[in-house]
Amino acid sequence: MLKGSKIGLRARHEGDIPVLTAELYNDVVNASRAEGEPWRPVAADSSDPRLAVTNKEQGNVPFSVVELDGGTLIGSANLWGIDTHNRSAHIGLGLLPSARGKGYGTDVVATMCTYGFVVRSLHRLQIETLSDNTPMLRSAERNGFVREGVLRSSAWVMGEFLDEVLLGLLVEDWKPGPGN
């Protein structure tokens, strides 16, 4: 397990899938804001690639996010779109509703940076998020990510187009925090 100051990133367990399905993927508004495709319900026993963990796909590393104190499942994090030639990847995360607003997101981003830069020896990490996702923007910027651009009206979400913000962090600009 990779440990941050508040959270741990561990392998996804079978028991995590029903919780993540119910609280993240089957929440129409949340899933519509997080996914690049139209929402669709996911069965708890589904082998949906967003949930299932296989060792076959090298470009995506899914983690379950747990509280360090007690090990309670609080969300999901992914390093995705891994490009081994250019040594870059994207970070994505989703926290369960009960875990939001507690500073976990900032710690997840910090721990994912440790994984990307130290464990995977990447040069660049990137985050794309909706322009109104203030908690994610704040978590990224607290970890040194820089706003690199706005993709105007690039996301169709619940009946309207929204802007996305592109943020990037290079390894030479990264300042690991305590516990990373």
Side-chain angles (χ1 to χ4, degrees):
M1 176 180 343
L2 288 172
K3 294 180 181 179
S5 59
K6 296 180 177 186
I7 61 90
L9 300 176
R10 65 158 169 77
R12 178 138 326 131
H13 298 162
E14 284 297 318
D16 299 345
I17 293 174
V19 176
L20 295 173
T21 299
E23 296 200 38
L24 291 180
Y25 299 111
N26 281 343
D27 175 339
V28 178
V29 174
N30 179 72
S32 294
R33 292 178 55 81
E35 300 290 325
E37 299 176 355
W39 176 83
R40 60 187 170 77
V42 178
D45 60 352
S46 171
S47 60
D48 186 290
R50 295 173 297 174
L51 300 171
V53 178
T54 67
N55 291 325
K56 295 177 185 172
E57 187 178 344
Q58 298 298 311
N60 180 42
V61 180
F63 294 97
S64 285
V65 180
V66 296
E67 289 178 316
L68 280 182
D69 185 25
T72 302
L73 177 68
I74 60 169
S76 173
N78 288 338
L79 190 71
W80 62 276
I82 300 169
D83 179 338
T84 57
H85 176 71
N86 293 304
R87 294 178 45 210
S88 64
H90 304 257
I91 293 175
L93 68 102
L95 295 176
L96 302 182
S98 62
R100 296 176 190 155
K102 298 180 178 178
Y104 292 132
T106 298
D107 199 28
V108 172
V109 172
T111 308
M112 291 295 288
C113 287
T114 299
Y115 178 72
F117 291 138
V118 176
V119 177
R120 298 297 296 248
S121 189
L122 297 175
H123 176 72
R124 173 186 168 79
L125 292 173
Q126 184 169 309
I127 294 173
E128 299 89 5
T129 191
L130 297 175
S131 61
D132 65 352
N133 188 349
T134 304
M136 186 66 218
L137 292 167
R138 191 176 313 123
S139 293
E141 290 171 339
R142 285 181 178 159
N143 279 288
F145 282 79
V146 175
R147 291 183 192 216
E148 296 179 334
V150 174
L151 305 171
R152 298 179 305 139
S153 292
S154 63
W156 179 253
V157 179
M158 301 298 291
E160 65 179 321
F161 282 105
L162 299 175
D163 294 347
E164 289 181 280
V165 177
L166 172 68
L167 303 108
L169 179 62
L170 303 178
V171 68
E172 60 263 22
D173 298 328
W174 177 55
K175 295 174 179 63
N180 294 329

